[in-house]
Amino acid sequence: MRETVTAPATPKAPGADEPHGPGPGPQPGRTGAADRLRALAADGRIAAEYPAVPALLAELSQGDDAFAALQRAGRLLAREDPGAIHALHPGAAPATVAITGHGTLDALTAPLTAEFARHGIPLTTLTGDHDAWQRDLQDTASPLYRPGTDLALCLLDDRIVFGELPVPWGPEDAARAVAAKLALLERLAGHYAEHGTGTLVLNTLPLLRRHLHQLVDHRSRTELSFLWREFNAGILRLAVRHPRLHVVDLEPLIADGGPVRDSRLAAYAQVHLGEELLSRYAREIGHLARTLRGRAKKVLVVDLDNTLWDGILGDDGPDGIAAATTYRGEAFGAFQRTVRQLGSQGVLLAVCSKNDREPVLAVLRDHPDMALREADFVRINADWQPKDGNLRDIAARLNLGVDSFVFADDSPFECGLVASSLPAVSVVRLDEEPALHIDKLLADGWFDVRELTAEDRLRAGQYRSEAERQGLLDTTGSFEEYLHALGVRVELSPVRDHEIARVAQITLRTNQFNLTTRRLQQADVRRLLASPGHLVLAVRSRDRFGDNGVVGAVFARREGDVLHVDNTLLSCRVFARGIEQSVFAALLAHARDTGARTARASYRPTAKNHRVRDFYPSLGFATVTAGGAAPDDAAPDGAEVFFEHALEELPERPGHVHVDARFS
């Protein structure tokens, strides 16, 4: 296999070095972004100034020529060494992607490099030999199985079937061939699930007219069409059975793009998938990589005027705006329904609008056109303050970082302002054409997760209940009185089967109260649950205002008379309620009662978990030593710190918390 190292990125604003005066504000400029990227490459400054790269790529991703522009950018970035980038910027954790397949796939490297760089991930690609996919999947010594390979891409096309058919052939021959190929893929996926350490990615296969129309009768064409769809459905079902497998469905990508391939390149160079389709595929793989690293966004913040409805409320009044009944209004209504659909799946919705608050609330409560209502939003900031400041306010009130935010607005000025002052926010630049709002919002899969959990569906309601808790806090004399009145109840016990997806999600998405930032997939959680001596504990909480569900997890293992705590995590929604202290009081008591003499733990500092650096010392752990390699997302000066507890004097459980702890 050939190894290609490719380049990095973490966010910085578009035009961050340009002055902001009065006028239209920062504008997306694809030509300017390309020129700036070429200048960085020419001066050899990409590695040193990598924070500019994602913003430049974000500009290039706008417009009809986005995929071609990103391909060109990817070729520049592919010259950089991810190891050198990581050495300069420890927060830019490199990824390794092994690529195998049936046809010639050289054109995939550049768009993959660009798409990964958009999400702050330097990339090393390992490209296999032509048509070696079956051998690569069978051989555990191939780079697909190499430790440290994050994604193993096996990119297939229709030739794996039609290239093996006899001449002449009929639907019955195709049926036998696809059944054999599906059985082969099932075996190979199972083999990878058993021996691989990364995520295997397969894809559905396009059915081309040139094959379908070799059958001259309509009945045979119909038979081939439905057996091909059953073949693709079978490939998709493999992902349900194998947790280390992901399947990219090429059909929607083909529907949105151009032809599947160029027939001349397919005939002469064995390029069976075209450059634009490969670029769209690369974008999906970039989204997958971001998801696997726990970087899914949590909050969608939307503007109102000419974003959720047609018109300007302050000028036109409630009777002059529309989200239904007119041609343009219907397009805005469709956008509202899409936003609400996202909200129903755990995406937190908020408003950031330059408007007077009371008229906005009146529209959201009573206007007949609205698909979105006041109750759909966890926060409504409608005032005349700068929008970057309002986004900071929303983040503070939700106890989330702005890097969890997506901001959608039709104003180039507001989009430029937010991109410049809050580069961690992902900006969706809408425009005057509301029919395109949905496509622009969904283009980058900002909210993608591997699996939706019950907690996801309840998240918005849980955040809204925070207002009731805040009301209780405001009416009590002290924080201690508030905690006693809250009535916190905690359940600590081994993770149940239906909670595995949620616990894996916590390891991926929790950054603040995450002592080691070790990320786990569902298969990893299952493996630990099945391992003798391991404790994989779910932390569940509720109080007088409702059930918070699974809010944390503890990973530990017993070796003789030593309890090793591998990681501790807690959702930011339930900070400062005594939950974490109660959990450890129960855990350490159980360890001592079952013969342990020592508990050991560690803390790996990152840019986001600094607030828990003193967590273990606060429970009576003594610092043993500091050192070792920093984690991938560690702060530059972050070295792992090790702690030990003699289990002689255990921490006290906070008196206001009721704990139900079971360890088997």
Side-chain angles (χ1 to χ4, degrees):
M1 281 204 171
R2 303 188 303 279
E3 179 170 329
T4 305
V5 292
T6 56
T10 40
K12 186 179 177 182
D17 299 323
E18 299 172 4
H20 294 170
Q27 301 283 329
R30 295 187 296 281
T31 302
D35 288 343
R36 293 198 295 277
L37 186 60
R38 281 194 295 267
L40 285 175
D43 294 341
R45 301 201 327 269
I46 284 181
E49 300 187 29
Y50 80 96
V53 172
L56 298 176
L57 296 178
E59 291 186 34
L60 293 176
S61 69
Q62 309 292 314
D64 296 336
D65 63 342
F67 291 113
L70 288 171
Q71 274 211 349
R72 292 190 291 270
R75 285 193 287 270
L76 288 177
L77 295 171
R79 303 169 186 170
E80 301 297 320
D81 178 6
I85 299 295
H86 192 212
L88 288 171
H89 312 283
T96 298
V97 174
I99 304 170
T100 190
H102 174 255
T104 302
L105 298 171
D106 291 345
L108 183 59
T109 299
L112 267 182
T113 301
E115 294 295 346
F116 273 61
R118 289 185 66 199
H119 305 302
I121 306 173
L123 181 63
T124 297
T125 59
L126 309 171
T127 304
D129 297 330
H130 174 73
D131 200 18
W133 65 274
Q134 186 172 338
R135 182 191 68 199
D136 289 339
L137 280 171
Q138 289 172 331
D139 183 7
T140 56
S142 79
L144 274 63
Y145 292 88
R146 180 186 298 179
T149 294
D150 299 283
L151 291 169
L153 309 184
C154 180
L155 194 52
L156 303 176
D157 57 73
D158 59 287
R159 294 296 300 165
I160 69 168
V161 174
F162 289 105
E164 299 179 4
L165 293 184
V167 178
W169 60 273
E172 64 281 359
D173 299 300
R176 285 192 292 271
V178 299
K181 278 293 181 291
L182 188 59
L184 173 63
L185 291 173
E186 171 78 61
R187 291 195 300 273
L188 293 175
H191 187 65
Y192 190 87
E194 182 178 357
H195 301 286
T197 58
T199 296
L200 173 64
V201 181
L202 299 178
N203 58 277
T204 59
L205 279 60
L207 176 62
L208 302 183
R209 187 179 187 276
R210 66 181 299 163
H211 298 307
L212 185 65
H213 281 252
Q214 290 181 35
L215 301 172
V216 298
D217 67 294
H218 291 177
R219 181 180 179 85
S220 294
R221 289 178 188 172
T222 300
E223 290 179 12
L224 179 60
S225 291
F226 74 66
L227 76 86
W228 199 265
R229 284 164 175 77
E230 289 177 345
F231 178 36
N232 280 329
I235 295 174
L236 289 164
R237 277 193 291 269
L238 294 179
V240 177
R241 294 197 288 273
H242 298 290
R244 288 199 184 279
L245 174 63
H246 179 80
V247 177
V248 175
D249 190 354
L250 293 188
E251 185 174 339
L253 308 187
I254 294 167
D256 276 351
V260 172
R261 67 182 186 182
D262 182 307
S263 294
R264 291 164 297 182
L265 287 174
Y268 302 135
Q270 303 301 306
V271 178
H272 299 302
L273 299 173
E275 284 194 359
E276 182 173 340
L277 179 56
L278 289 177
S279 292
R280 292 181 181 276
Y281 171 86
R283 178 159 292 183
E284 297 299 313
I285 299 303
H287 299 170
L288 174 62
R290 184 187 62 216
T291 298
L292 293 175
R293 292 203 169 186
R295 296 184 183 178
K297 302 292 184 175
K298 300 177 182 179
V299 186
L300 172 58
V301 184
V302 291
D303 177 43
L304 296 177
D305 294 331
N306 291 320
T307 295
L308 287 192
W309 55 63
D310 187 19
I312 300 174
L313 180 60
D315 294 341
D316 304 323
D319 294 334
I321 64 173
T325 70
T326 68
Y327 287 122
R328 282 177 59 83
E330 291 290 349
F332 285 99
F335 182 66
Q336 284 199 31
R337 290 189 291 275
T338 299
V339 171
R340 190 176 185 192
Q341 170 70 11
L342 295 175
S344 72
Q345 299 168 89
V347 177
L348 302 177
L349 306 180
V351 166
C352 181
S353 172
K354 286 188 174 177
N355 263 303
D356 292 324
R357 180 175 175 81
E358 290 309 316
V360 164
L361 294 179
V363 167
L364 293 175
R365 290 166 182 165
D366 303 321
H367 198 290
D369 287 3
M370 297 300 119
L372 286 163
R373 296 297 183 185
E374 181 183 5
D376 292 310
F377 298 99
V378 296
R379 183 73 187 170
I380 297 174
N381 278 27
D383 54 40
W384 297 96
Q385 299 301 311
K387 290 196 175 183
D388 55 343
N390 262 324
L391 288 177
R392 290 189 184 94
D393 175 71
I394 295 171
R397 292 179 181 274
L398 297 180
N399 198 21
L400 294 170
V402 292
D403 59 343
S404 298
F405 281 42
V406 174
F407 173 66
D409 199 307
D410 69 297
S411 164
F413 173 81
E414 301 294 0
C415 289
L417 172 66
V418 170
S420 295
S421 61
L422 298 174
V425 174
S426 298
V427 177
V428 177
R429 299 173 186 267
L430 306 177
D431 55 31
E432 68 277 0
E433 179 46 79
L436 301 178
H437 281 9
I438 294 173
D439 294 338
K440 290 177 181 290
L441 176 62
L442 301 181
D444 281 306
W446 294 117
F447 307 105
D448 291 359
V449 294
R450 286 303 300 271
E451 182 175 335
L452 204 64
T453 68
E455 282 78 5
D456 289 329
R457 297 186 185 279
L458 298 173
R459 184 174 293 116
Q462 291 169 342
Y463 270 90
R464 281 192 290 269
S465 68
E466 288 302 311
E468 299 178 81
R469 294 185 179 92
Q470 185 62 43
L472 175 64
L473 178 60
D474 293 342
T475 58
T476 50
S478 67
F479 192 69
E480 289 72 21
E481 290 179 24
Y482 161 72
L483 290 175
H484 281 280
L486 195 57
V488 178
R489 304 181 71 86
V490 172
E491 181 184 355
L492 179 69
S493 68
V495 172
R496 300 158 188 160
D497 191 65
H498 69 276
E499 296 170 333
I500 289 175
R502 169 59 178 162
V503 169
Q505 183 187 77
I506 287 174
T507 73
L508 293 172
R509 301 184 69 176
T510 299
N511 295 304
Q512 296 182 63
F513 201 114
N514 187 338
L515 274 294
T516 64
T517 64
R518 292 184 177 94
R519 312 297 186 182
L520 302 176
Q521 304 299 326
Q522 291 186 45
D524 301 317
V525 177
R526 289 185 185 277
R527 175 178 53 80
L528 292 174
L529 274 169
S531 298
H534 278 76
L535 282 174
V536 183
L537 304 173
V539 181
R540 311 169 193 88
S541 79
R542 63 185 188 276
D543 57 39
R544 63 184 285 183
F545 295 109
D547 192 338
N548 291 301
V550 177
V551 295
V554 178
F555 295 87
R557 54 192 162 84
R558 186 72 174 267
E559 293 181 356
D561 61 358
V562 178
L563 176 73
H564 296 271
V565 181
D566 294 322
N567 202 9
T568 306
L569 309 102
L570 191 69
S571 169
C572 59
R573 289 188 289 116
V574 295
F575 281 179
R577 298 180 191 172
I579 293 173
E580 57 271 38
Q581 292 87 354
S582 300
V583 164
F584 259 81
L587 175 65
L588 297 182
H590 169 74
R592 188 179 67 177
D593 294 345
T594 55
R597 302 182 63 181
T598 306
R600 293 174 182 160
S602 66
Y603 163 67
R604 306 173 78 188
T606 72
K608 294 185 179 180
N609 72 356
H610 56 86
R611 67 187 297 173
V612 295
R613 70 179 63 190
D614 295 323
F615 174 65
Y616 287 128
S618 73
L619 298 171
F621 281 79
T623 302
V624 178
T625 184
D632 287 341
D633 55 352
D637 58 347
E640 191 165 10
V641 184
F642 298 91
F643 302 96
E644 191 170 284
H645 198 297
L647 301 181
E648 295 173 353
E649 186 175 343
L650 298 181
E652 294 185 7
R653 176 179 63 83
H656 66 275
V657 180
H658 174 82
V659 180
D660 178 11
R662 300 185 302 279
F663 296 92
S664 62

